[in-house]
Amino acid sequence: MGAADRRPSRPAGLLFPQLVRASELSPSQVRAGLAALRDIIAEKGWPPLIWTRADGYLLGAERAALEAYERAVLAEKLTEFRRFITGTVAPHAAAHPNDKWVRHIVAQLNSIESTLDLIAS
C-alpha cells in the first residue's frame, strides 16, 4: 500500500469557471459564497478550503498543500501591500513629510511589510 492509498478520500475540486457553471450563480455571487463558506468553516472548526491550480477548490487538503497555499496567499498579499506602499503611501509621505498621520502609517506599514516578508519566505 503506497502513500497515495492512505490519503483521505474527497471529491475532486472544481475550477472557478466550473464552480460558476455548476452553481448557476454569477461569478460575484460565487466569490461571495466562497468568502461566506470560509467564515463558516472557521466558525465551525472544519478543515480549511483552499485552491490549487491542479485541483481547483478543495476541502481538507494535506499539510503540504495547505502550506503551499498559505505561502502563495502571503506572497500575493505582500505584493499587493508593497504596491499600496509604493503607489499611494510613499507619494503621500513625499508630498507631506511633516504630516503626523503619514509618518505614523509609514512606520506601521513598514513593520507589517517586514513581518509579511518574513513569514512568506
Side-chain angles (χ1 to χ4, degrees):
M1 178 191 271
D5 298 327
R6 291 189 296 268
R7 282 189 241 160
S9 296
R10 65 175 176 264
L14 293 177
L15 300 177
F16 189 78
Q18 294 170 319
L19 193 54
V20 169
R21 283 192 304 276
S23 66
E24 297 182 354
L25 298 171
S26 71
S28 63
Q29 289 172 316
V30 171
R31 280 187 200 88
L34 289 168
L37 179 58
R38 283 193 168 99
D39 291 342
I40 292 168
I41 285 168
E43 180 183 300
K44 304 261 185 200
W46 294 344
L49 173 68
I50 68 167
W51 181 88
T52 68
R53 186 177 304 273
D55 298 319
Y57 288 94
L58 300 171
L59 285 169
E62 295 177 7
R63 182 175 181 257
L66 290 169
E67 185 175 323
Y69 175 77
E70 290 160 354
R71 286 182 184 275
V73 169
L74 285 167
E76 178 184 333
K77 296 299 179 186
L78 181 58
T79 299
E80 182 180 342
F81 199 74
R82 284 182 171 150
R83 286 180 179 148
F84 172 66
I85 291 170
T86 59
T88 303
V89 177
H92 179 185
H96 305 283
N98 297 323
D99 184 320
K100 184 178 178 181
W101 160 256
V102 79
R103 285 195 324 265
H104 177 70
I105 196 169
V106 165
Q108 295 302 312
L109 293 178
N110 285 338
S111 175
I112 293 167
E113 179 187 17
S114 176
T115 299
L116 285 174
D117 190 40
L118 181 66
I119 61 177
S121 60

